[in-house]
């Protein structure tokens, strides 16, 4: 044991068997993250005024799409292990060995979420806002799968929290001395994400970020951390040169997503200035009798969301006599139908 370091788990911890089934720690971390994220999203969706059961209906579409998208992005951003001279195409579906790209997971997962939201009659932007902190929490938990697999660590370091990697592990860098410590980038990202969850929840409580703003704030926060964390990693990746600067593909992707996220967040903030109510349902899809349903019907009546009272077309008439047909008596004096003739007063000369 090296003093002042973070040990990696024994290799046998990476998986265990229950009967004929093999359970991988990486998969358990991913699954745990998904479940915790759905629970948090369900609680937030209920506070938004939505039916919490809808979260699970949308997840049926979003989660499989996200896993497939994350795997495809990893395969094409780190192709040597699959398409290189020593590549093995049979490794592509082996997600339990590690390798899920967050960009592909979010992009294709959003497609699945859109399908689920359309079927459930809710707005994708509202659902994304509710889910954003949960997605970041899932990423924080899922990163510990890299620790079990002893993968995706950073450059060598002499810091007291350096990560130990078994010298006989296939991921141990060639040429490095046994006992070399490495930056625990999985830990950096997990802690960054946990801090982000707390920050997003705090900002949402204070400013009530809706209309897609919470999701884009999540994207901006995550990518800001991913830029510097990704730059520390030394695992194989596609290298891209832009304006003479060569960096990993994920670094450039993070920079691009960060800029786009901040721009969209600013645009939505200006566009929604003064807007205080955001329905979670698509137009005409709110359950009958809910507040959202009544609000949408009122908005449909006049286009402004406010109820308009019908004006009294009998303006200028006496109370209680509006809309009554006017008739004349035998002397030609107008009288309202159904009303008795006025009794003469005592001071009337006719008395």
């Amino acid at each position: 044991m090296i003093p002042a370091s973070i040990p990696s788990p024994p290799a046998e911890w990476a998986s265990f068997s229950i009967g004929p089934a093999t359970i991988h720690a990486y998969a358990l971390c991913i699954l745990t993250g998904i479940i915790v994220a759905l629970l948090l999203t369900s609680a937030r969706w209920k506070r938004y005024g939505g039916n919490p059961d809808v979260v699970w209906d949308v997840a049926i579409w979003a989660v499989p799409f996200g896993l497939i998208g994350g795997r495809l992005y990893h395969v094409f951003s780190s192709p040597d292990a699959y398409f290189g001279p020593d590549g093995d195409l049979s490794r592509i579906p082996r997600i339990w060995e590690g390798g899920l790209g967050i960009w592909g997971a979010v992009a294709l997962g959003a497609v699945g979420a859109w399908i689920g939201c359309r079927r459930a009659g809710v707005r994708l932007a509202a659902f994304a806002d509710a889910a954003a902190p949960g997605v970041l929490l899932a990423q924080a938990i899922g990163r510990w799968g890299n620790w079990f697999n002893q993968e995706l660590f950073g450059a060598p370091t002499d810091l007291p929290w350096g990560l130990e990697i078994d010298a006989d592990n296939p991921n141990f860098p060639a040429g490095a001395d046994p006992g070399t410590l490495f930056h625990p980038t999985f830990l950096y990202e997990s802690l960054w994400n946990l801090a982000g969850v707390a920050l997003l929840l705090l900002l949402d409580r204070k400013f009530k970020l809706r209309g897609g703003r919470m999701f884009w704030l999540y994207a901006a926060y995550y990518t800001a951390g991913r830029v510097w964390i990704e730059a520390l990693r030394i695992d194989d990746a596609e290298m891209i040169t832009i304006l003479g600067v060569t960096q990993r593909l994920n670094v450039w992707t993070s920079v691009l997503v960060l800029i786009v996220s901040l721009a969209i967040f600013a645009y939505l903030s200006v566009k929604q200035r003064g807007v205080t109510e955001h329905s979670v349902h698509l137009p005409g899809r709110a359950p009958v009798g809910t507040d959202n349903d009544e609000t949408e019907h009122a908005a449909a009546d006049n286009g402004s969301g406010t109820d308009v009272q019908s004006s009294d077309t009998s303006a200028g008439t006496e109370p209680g006599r509006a809309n009554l047909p006017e008739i004349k008596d035998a002397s030609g004096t107008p009288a309202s139908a159904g009303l008795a003739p006025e009794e003469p007063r005592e001071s009337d000369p006719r008395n």
Side-chain angles (χ1 to χ4, degrees):
M1 177 68 69
I2 301 174
S5 63
I6 299 176
S8 286
E12 56 269 21
W13 286 19
S15 64
F16 59 93
S17 297
I18 300 179
T22 300
I23 309 299
H24 296 267
Y26 182 90
L28 287 178
C29 291
I30 298 296
L31 181 60
T32 301
I34 291 173
I35 293 174
V36 173
L38 290 176
L39 292 174
L40 177 57
T41 301
S42 181
R44 285 174 52 77
W45 185 251
K46 184 177 181 179
R47 286 198 295 272
Y48 278 19
N51 181 353
D53 292 338
V54 166
V55 173
W56 305 94
D57 295 336
V58 176
I60 292 175
W61 293 89
V63 172
F65 273 65
L67 291 175
I68 294 173
R71 186 59 173 178
L72 291 177
Y73 182 89
H74 166 76
V75 169
F76 287 102
S77 62
S78 303
D80 289 345
Y82 311 97
F83 304 104
D86 299 323
D88 183 1
L89 293 177
S90 68
R91 294 183 59 192
I92 292 178
R94 291 186 238 164
I95 295 179
W96 56 86
E97 293 182 354
L100 288 173
I102 185 59
W103 314 121
V106 171
L108 206 55
V111 174
W114 177 80
I115 296 173
C117 287
R118 295 291 295 182
R119 291 171 62 90
V122 299
R123 300 177 187 271
L124 177 61
F127 188 85
D129 286 339
V135 172
L136 196 57
L137 180 58
Q139 292 173 244
I141 297 173
R143 271 301 172 201
W144 284 85
N146 301 139
W147 179 64
F148 283 99
N149 284 355
Q150 298 193 36
E151 61 182 359
L152 304 186
F153 43 84
T157 181
D158 56 0
L159 293 171
W161 55 81
L163 177 66
E164 301 175 29
I165 299 295
D166 296 337
D168 58 351
N169 189 286
N171 296 319
F172 193 86
D177 295 330
T180 300
L181 301 180
F182 302 91
H183 279 287
T185 51
F186 83 91
L187 180 61
Y188 296 164
E189 186 170 331
S190 183
L191 294 176
W192 176 269
N193 292 348
L194 288 175
V197 172
L199 179 62
L200 290 179
L201 294 176
L202 179 63
L203 292 176
D204 190 36
R205 180 181 295 272
K206 183 174 180 62
F207 299 107
K208 298 189 181 302
L209 301 174
R210 300 290 189 273
R213 288 185 295 164
M214 173 59 75
F215 174 80
W216 290 108
L217 185 60
Y218 143 75
Y221 176 87
Y222 175 72
T223 51
R226 187 64 185 267
V227 168
W228 64 269
I229 294 172
E230 187 73 26
L232 291 174
R233 285 168 44 173
I234 58 175
D235 53 288
D236 293 336
E238 285 291 295
M239 306 299 291
I240 305 294
T241 301
I242 299 178
L243 299 176
V245 179
T246 301
Q247 270 295 347
R248 298 161 65 92
L249 172 61
N250 283 336
V251 172
W252 292 119
T253 303
S254 298
V255 171
L256 176 62
V257 175
L258 173 60
I259 295 173
V260 171
S261 299
L262 290 174
I264 295 178
F265 177 81
Y267 168 75
L268 292 176
S269 297
V270 173
K271 181 181 178 182
Q272 299 174 21
R273 185 174 298 167
V275 178
T276 58
E277 296 295 332
H278 295 273
S279 173
V280 301
H281 299 97
L282 291 171
R285 299 291 299 275
V288 176
T290 63
D291 292 339
N292 286 331
D293 182 63
E294 294 171 0
T295 300
E296 289 174 2
H297 276 77
D301 288 341
N302 58 27
S304 65
T306 57
D307 194 9
V308 176
Q309 298 293 335
S310 59
S311 60
D312 188 355
T313 58
S314 60
T317 62
E318 296 181 19
R321 300 184 62 181
N323 300 323
L324 293 176
E326 187 176 86
I327 62 174
K328 295 183 179 181
D329 59 15
S331 63
T333 303
S336 297
L339 296 180
E342 183 180 10
E343 293 291 337
R345 292 188 292 270
E346 292 183 359
S347 60
D348 195 320
R350 292 177 298 173
N351 210 12

